[in-house]
Amino acid sequence: MTAPLFPCEQPSNSGPLFVVLNGASGRAATEERQRLVSEQFNAAGRGHEYLTVKSGRELPQVARRAVELAQRERGVVVAAGGDGTINAVAQEVLDYGLPFGVLPQGTFNYFGRANGISQDIATAARALVQAPVRPVQVGQVNGHRFLVNASIGLYPKLLEDREQWKRQYGRSRLVALGSAIATVLREHRRLNIELVRGEQIRIIHATTLFVGNNALQLKQLGLPEAERIEQGELAALALHPVSRLTMLWLMLRSAFGKLADAEEVQRSAFRHMTVEPRLHYGSHRIKVAVDGEILWLRPPLHFEVAPHPLYLVAAEPTGPLE
């Protein structure tokens, strides 16, 4: 692979499309998605190639291969999957300034929905071959990029438990809700965190620290910081230690988009923030959830807006975020 390239001008959406396709849902479903997508690409006269991924472990390698092909052919790298798949492919694309397309497949698809990309894969494919390229903001923590959010504390545990429930009961919003309720009813460790923003240092006690980079997700929680994302910042939410009953009440408020006035939640917006968790004796790393994927990182954690954007192939959303 050639050296990273950050173009002086935005790349164009004119070359062949190299689609990294999450095939975890099975051969029949994968072949049907390929058929629907190929119909739209062929109708537009666009060359394309599928690089199918059968397990999460293959994603980085397959994404790198797609980047190599797109560099050589002056093409577009496309991620077909949920937010985790989209993030994994974007990680490889970002350093090379290549155009990046999305064909959403997951349960929540915050990234695709926030950028006006249809949840119907055929509709999304048809729009993809016609859309312009525009820069979108990326967040990062210790060099690991995130398109939607990153977090420590309770939220990573929620994600881990949700995946276990999905494997047992299937993928649906109802299963995700049931898993979340079961998780918050357990005992949770309190985090002692030092936050550094510029010259300001603050010590807080929290069960979770959530950093968002997705205006749609924050808007659904009823948080005014959604507008700050669109102004080039990230949003931080720290949940103070509360009782189980209060935790359930906060979940209910968040479900109805009423979290803004909750006294138990501390909120702020920033471009760069250093987080120093006070770890237990013998601990050298902390669990961090990055767009749904679990990483173990060494503190301090440096959260910031990435210096380079992702060049997304998508028109500007024309309606309200939903």
Side-chain angles (χ1 to χ4, degrees):
M1 188 179 296
T2 60
L5 169 66
F6 300 107
C8 297
E9 299 180 357
Q10 291 180 189
S12 67
N13 175 22
S14 59
L17 302 132
F18 299 96
V19 184
V20 179
L21 181 65
N22 189 334
S25 56
R27 180 177 177 180
T30 299
E31 290 179 349
E32 175 63 11
R33 286 197 295 271
Q34 288 187 11
R35 183 188 67 80
L36 292 170
V37 171
S38 292
E39 285 179 354
Q40 303 303 323
F41 290 174
N42 289 333
R46 293 288 292 276
H48 57 281
E49 180 179 336
Y50 296 101
L51 295 88
T52 304
V53 178
K54 296 181 181 179
S55 72
R57 292 188 299 272
E58 298 177 353
L59 256 175
Q61 179 181 356
V62 174
R64 283 193 290 271
R65 176 58 179 161
V67 167
E68 291 174 356
L69 292 170
Q71 278 192 298
R72 188 175 67 198
E73 303 294 334
R74 298 185 179 275
V76 180
V77 177
V78 180
D83 284 326
T85 299
I86 293 168
N87 175 285
V89 180
Q91 295 281 341
E92 304 299 330
V93 171
L94 267 163
D95 287 335
Y96 295 88
L98 293 167
F100 177 70
V102 169
L103 298 173
Q105 292 179 207
T107 304
F108 294 99
N109 286 319
Y110 279 116
F111 181 76
R113 290 160 59 204
N115 287 286
I117 299 172
S118 174
Q119 303 305 290
D120 177 75
I121 194 167
T123 303
R126 183 165 58 253
L128 178 61
V129 295
Q130 302 170 345
V133 179
R134 59 183 175 87
V136 297
Q137 175 175 291
V138 177
Q140 63 183 28
V141 52
N142 290 17
H144 296 271
R145 286 68 172 260
F146 57 93
L147 306 177
V148 181
N149 60 57
S151 59
I152 60 175
L154 174 60
Y155 196 72
K157 181 60 177 173
L158 282 168
L159 297 176
E160 287 184 317
D161 291 349
R162 188 177 74 189
E163 287 305 308
Q164 291 181 359
W165 276 54
K166 284 180 177 179
R167 285 192 291 269
Q168 186 171 357
Y169 303 111
R171 293 181 175 271
S172 73
R173 292 177 183 267
L174 186 61
V175 168
L177 176 61
S179 169
I181 293 173
T183 302
V184 301
L185 288 176
R186 303 193 194 114
E187 192 71 34
H188 298 290
R189 180 180 299 171
R190 185 176 74 170
L191 296 171
N192 298 316
I193 305 172
E194 180 182 279
L195 301 181
V196 181
R197 293 175 56 198
E199 297 181 354
Q200 182 182 13
I201 301 175
R202 179 180 297 177
I203 305 296
I204 66 170
H205 307 293
T207 56
T208 194
L209 176 68
F210 174 97
V211 176
N213 183 47
N214 187 277
L216 173 61
Q217 188 176 44
L218 297 177
K219 181 179 180 182
Q220 289 185 341
L221 295 173
L223 298 174
E225 282 75 15
E227 295 182 0
R228 304 292 289 272
I229 303 299
E230 297 170 348
Q231 296 169 7
E233 295 184 289
L234 302 173
L237 286 75
L239 174 61
H240 299 306
V242 296
S243 67
R244 293 183 179 91
L245 183 60
T246 302
M247 186 78 77
L248 288 174
W249 173 237
L250 289 172
M251 281 185 59
L252 184 63
R253 291 187 65 168
S254 66
F256 285 94
K258 303 294 183 181
L259 204 56
D261 298 327
E263 297 179 353
E264 300 85 355
V265 179
Q266 179 178 324
R267 314 189 321 268
S268 63
F270 65 93
R271 286 191 61 84
H272 184 282
M273 180 174 68
T274 298
V275 176
E276 182 72 76
R278 306 290 178 83
L279 300 179
H280 292 273
Y281 179 77
S283 299
H284 301 288
R285 298 184 301 166
I286 187 168
K287 186 185 296 183
V288 184
V290 177
D291 283 353
E293 302 300 314
I294 303 299
L295 306 174
W296 286 91
L297 302 181
R298 292 184 181 276
L301 303 177
H302 301 286
F303 290 93
E304 60 188 339
V305 175
H308 298 283
L310 181 67
Y311 290 106
L312 181 67
V313 180
E316 291 281 356
T318 55
L321 297 179
E322 296 180 355

